[in-house]
Amino acid sequence: MATHTSETSAFEQAQKEHEQLRERIKFLHQRIDVRPASADEIAKLLRELRAALETHFRNEECDGFFDQIVTRAPQLSRQAQKLTHEHVDLLQQTDALIHLADGSAGEPICPATLAAQFHDFSKLLMHHESEENGMLQSAYQDDLGTKD
């Protein structure tokens, strides 16, 4: 029974982290698109996003969360492996955005360039997180269905 509780709390933790990432992305869009911020502020926010992503990905990979999913639903092994590989690409894209913001230090961010690249990045990240959520729901659907 303890395993069930820890698996459920792991699922809930992943859902919470996904929501926090969506909020960070939304806030960054506001600072880039709606109320343009300084390059320094954008770079700082992007660094904070990168740190949050790195922690989130580590939680999924190293703390055994993906292992729990694959143990529960072995058919999801290939998808978990694909999502793990995407983590490296997403961190590299975040680094590129930080570099772009740092390159504008002291000047207003070029809205067109940064906004376009951040929009593309956020679409990829949200698609990635959506795939993770789908994988989580597939692995835990029996438990989730019995909560009613």
Side-chain angles (χ1 to χ4, degrees), residues 28 32-33 37-44 46-47 91-121:
L28 263 158
I32 291 170
D33 296 335
S38 71
D40 291 340
E41 181 183 349
I42 295 299
K44 177 183 177 278
L46 287 168
R47 283 188 191 90
L91 289 173
Q92 288 174 343
Q93 289 182 37
T94 308
D95 290 339
L97 288 166
I98 292 167
H99 181 73
L100 179 62
D102 278 340
S104 303
E107 299 177 17
I109 295 286
C110 173
T113 303
L114 186 63
Q117 289 187 21
F118 185 72
H119 179 71
D120 290 345
F121 166 78

Side-chain angles (χ1 to χ4, degrees), residues 62-137:
C62 301
D63 291 345
F65 186 63
F66 277 1
D67 291 340
Q68 285 179 6
I69 289 172
V70 171
T71 298
R72 287 181 66 87
Q75 72 275 13
L76 298 174
S77 176
R78 184 170 279 150
Q79 185 177 6
Q81 187 176 36
K82 173 188 168 282
L83 292 171
T84 298
H85 286 107
E86 287 179 6
H87 291 168
V88 174
D89 293 335
L90 289 166
L91 289 173
Q92 288 174 343
Q93 289 182 37
T94 308
D95 290 339
L97 288 166
I98 292 167
H99 181 73
L100 179 62
D102 278 340
S104 303
E107 299 177 17
I109 295 286
C110 173
T113 303
L114 186 63
Q117 289 187 21
F118 185 72
H119 179 71
D120 290 345
F121 166 78
S122 65
K123 279 176 46 178
L124 287 173
L125 178 61
M126 292 300 101
H127 179 74
H128 173 88
E129 295 300 306
S130 176
E131 286 188 12
E132 286 182 354
N133 284 335
M135 187 174 69
L136 290 167
Q137 289 170 355

